[in-house]
Amino acid sequence: MEEARTKARRSDALSKDRIVRAAIEILDSSGESGLTTRSLAASLHTGSGAIFHHVGSRDQLLRTAVGGVVADVTAGIATETTPQESIRSLMMGVFDAIRAHPWVGAQLAREPWQAALLEIFLEIGSRLQTLGVVEVDLFDTASTLLSYLLGVAGQHAAGVTLSRQTDRKAFLSAAVEDWLGHREALNNPLVRHVTRLADHDDRAQFITGLEIILDGITVRSGRGALHSPSI
Amino acid sequence: MEEARTKARRSDALSKDRIVRAAIEILDSSGESGLTTRSLAASLHTGSGAIFHHVGSRDQLLRTAVGGVVADVTAGIATETTPQESIRSLMMGVFDAIRAHPWVGAQLAREPWQAALLEIFLEIGSRLQTLGVVEVDLFDTASTLLSYLLGVAGQHAAGVTLSRQTDRKAFLSAAVEDWLGHREALNNPLVRHVTRLADHDDRAQFITGLEIILDGITVRSGRGALHSPSI
DNA sequence: ACCTGAACACCGTTCAAGT
DNA sequence: ACCTGAACACCGTTCAAGT
């Protein structure tokens, strides 16, 4: 008779890791509102209480899931390139992760003090240092990049939520028309571009903003006067 | 006998406006989670169902409240100054409104397509135009500023939520120590500044970031090459 | 030790019933 | 027309009870 020390290790044994993976699957397919204790328990073929036995709360589960996704980004940092390229790849990495998992963007915008984000903050900061930003300005400069990233993250998450509910283009057109109703803004050339909100290239737009900020950083650090007003 | 055409106009008559004002009061004092149908009904001395008779849904109520706060900002735009000053006062106006009402920041980060924000977007865009930004770049440039604003907004809202729950400084110190645990980062000068997260000057930091972006915009528009990479 | 699922304390929203 | 508040369909979380 075989020695029975396998201890009934069923292939579907519950674990924190398995719960997190199942949660990410639901989040990707159904969004954050789709992840409920009950839907998660059902997908794992278990009782709702079992989840709390492995993860403390729904919030902690969400944090763990976000941390995992962001950790994958920081793990793949190429350190051999220039500081600018490092910052670009770091920022783009998080951006692309958010595109793949929009709920990550919403969560990061909501809880920016997450350990994963702190790591990105510090990585960016060290690159800025070798870029020539003086030490006193490091904090505010890195914060600027991170704020921009989080702003875009939240907007992207919102955009996905929006398109999940209604037709995105129709919604935004209606919003613009509503706005035009109580304003004389046909002479505003921006209005003609606003509909681009519906079908523009998110990624290219993100890069443009990133380049603007990087330009601002280099011109200010070169000038050596980060705190004086521009112009 | 007096003619009875006053139609029993009690001073505490319910109206959409009165509901929104009461909601703002609760949001300011107790945060977004403090605003429930029941708490709002109680503060108005009415039944929970009465609110839905006037405002449709909780989300719509929140949107209306945010719209009102932001509208106050756009209403006070000084148009006689330089474009840069206009943009600064616009950005600072929203920032200060968010400081006064942190829940506005959370809501704007969550639903950035709100009519109020679209107005700010267009106002900024027209200022950028007179600043010399070419028409094709207007959209992405205005978006950059708005993304930054929304990122800061979300972070500020999160920070307030955080300090409501636990001691902010202790929490962040613990987060940094936790991070230091699995990293050799004592040679990172940024770490020494990270604790500034706890008690730094939000407003000055926001301004610094704003100036960085404005510098980036001017240098790029002057160079006339907004889409080429920097350096 | 791990899992179950009924029960609890909420939540937004609805709606028959009142005035 | 406006308001009431019980009722409904959820939600996250707990916990006695099972294995």
Side-chain angles (χ1 to χ4, degrees):
Chain A
M1 206 191 290
E2 191 72 18
E3 191 180 315
R5 55 174 174 81
T6 45
K7 303 188 74 173
R9 183 193 291 255
R10 291 160 51 194
S11 68
D12 62 343
L14 220 51
S15 69
K16 182 171 177 175
D17 202 68
R18 231 172 70 83
I19 293 172
V20 172
R21 277 204 306 275
I24 290 177
E25 242 172 71
I26 294 176
L27 287 163
D28 284 341
S29 62
S30 317
E32 195 184 312
S33 67
L35 180 73
T36 70
T37 317
R38 286 158 182 83
S39 73
L40 184 55
S43 91
L44 288 162
H45 303 103
T46 183
S48 40
I51 289 154
F52 291 88
H53 199 275
H54 293 270
V55 299
S57 69
R58 185 187 186 270
D59 281 347
Q60 278 180 37
L61 174 60
L62 216 51
R63 274 190 277 267
T64 311
V66 170
V69 171
V70 178
D72 286 345
V73 175
T74 46
I77 301 173
T79 170
E80 66 276 6
T81 51
T82 67
Q84 270 113 333
E85 281 307 324
S86 285
I87 292 174
R88 280 195 192 93
S89 81
L90 216 43
M91 296 278 285
M92 294 311 300
V94 179
F95 179 80
D96 286 336
I98 287 165
R99 288 189 108 202
H101 312 282
W103 49 274
V104 172
Q107 180 64 17
L108 284 179
R110 188 152 46 243
E111 298 194 358
W113 60 83
Q114 286 211 182
L117 215 58
L118 179 62
E119 182 154 344
I120 288 175
F121 180 80
L122 295 171
E123 295 285 356
I124 286 177
S126 71
R127 300 312 195 290
L128 288 174
Q129 197 188 11
T130 64
L131 205 90
V133 176
V134 276
E135 195 171 319
V136 257
D137 297 328
L138 273 181
F139 189 89
D140 286 359
T141 309
S143 291
T144 303
L145 282 165
L146 212 62
S147 293
Y148 172 66
L149 178 62
L150 291 176
V152 173
Q155 279 175 275
H156 189 81
V160 171
T161 307
L162 185 60
S163 61
R164 212 186 285 275
Q165 291 168 347
T166 58
D167 178 49
R168 198 174 171 187
K169 188 155 192 166
F171 183 93
L172 287 164
S173 299
V176 172
E177 277 166 32
D178 178 57
W179 188 84
L180 286 174
H182 50 83
R183 279 273 174 172
E184 76 308 322
L186 279 173
N187 54 344
N188 191 330
L190 207 62
V191 173
R192 293 198 294 276
H193 290 284
V194 157
T195 45
R196 281 172 56 196
L197 263 171
D199 48 14
H200 64 205
D201 185 345
D202 289 339
R203 203 166 191 275
Q205 185 182 337
F206 176 72
I207 292 173
T208 301
L210 178 56
E211 296 303 330
I212 288 174
I213 297 174
L214 287 175
D215 273 354
I217 291 170
T218 50
V219 73
R220 288 177 82 85
S221 77
R223 197 199 293 158
L226 197 52
H227 287 108
S228 69
S230 62
I231 300 296
Chain B
M1 206 190 292
E2 191 73 17
E3 190 180 317
R5 55 176 173 81
T6 46
K7 303 187 77 173
R9 183 193 291 256
R10 289 160 50 192
S11 68
D12 63 342
L14 219 50
S15 68
K16 181 170 177 176
D17 202 67
R18 231 172 71 83
I19 293 173
V20 172
R21 278 204 306 273
I24 289 177
E25 244 172 69
I26 294 176
L27 287 164
D28 284 341
S29 62
S30 316
E32 195 185 312
S33 67
L35 179 73
T36 69
T37 317
R38 285 159 182 83
S39 73
L40 184 56
S43 91
L44 288 163
H45 303 103
T46 183
S48 40
I51 288 154
F52 292 87
H53 198 274
H54 287 91
V55 296
S57 73
R58 185 185 186 271
D59 281 346
Q60 278 180 37
L61 173 60
L62 216 51
R63 274 190 277 266
T64 311
V66 170
V69 171
V70 178
D72 286 345
V73 176
T74 46
I77 300 170
T79 170
E80 65 276 6
T81 50
T82 66
Q84 270 111 332
E85 281 306 325
S86 284
I87 291 174
R88 280 196 194 92
S89 80
L90 216 45
M91 296 277 285
M92 295 311 300
V94 179
F95 179 80
D96 287 335
I98 286 165
R99 288 189 108 203
H101 312 282
W103 49 274
V104 173
Q107 180 63 19
L108 284 180
R110 189 150 48 244
E111 298 194 357
W113 60 84
Q114 286 210 180
L117 214 59
L118 179 62
E119 181 154 348
I120 288 174
F121 180 80
L122 295 172
E123 295 284 357
I124 286 177
S126 71
R127 299 313 195 289
L128 288 174
Q129 197 188 11
T130 63
L131 204 90
V133 176
V134 275
E135 196 171 320
V136 256
D137 297 328
L138 273 181
F139 189 88
D140 286 0
T141 309
S143 290
T144 303
L145 282 165
L146 211 63
S147 293
Y148 172 66
L149 178 62
L150 290 176
V152 174
Q155 278 175 276
H156 190 80
V160 171
T161 307
L162 185 60
S163 62
R164 212 186 287 274
Q165 291 168 347
T166 59
D167 178 49
R168 197 175 171 186
K169 188 156 193 166
F171 183 93
L172 288 164
S173 300
V176 172
E177 277 167 31
D178 178 59
W179 188 83
L180 286 174
H182 51 85
R183 278 273 174 172
E184 77 309 320
L186 280 172
N187 53 346
N188 190 330
L190 206 62
V191 172
R192 293 198 294 276
H193 290 284
V194 157
T195 45
R196 282 173 55 197
L197 263 170
D199 48 14
H200 64 207
D201 185 345
D202 289 340
R203 203 168 191 274
Q205 186 183 336
F206 177 72
I207 292 173
T208 302
L210 178 56
E211 296 302 330
I212 289 174
I213 297 174
L214 287 175
D215 272 355
I217 291 169
T218 49
V219 72
R220 289 177 82 82
S221 77
R223 197 199 293 157
L226 196 53
H227 287 108
S228 69
S230 63
I231 302 295

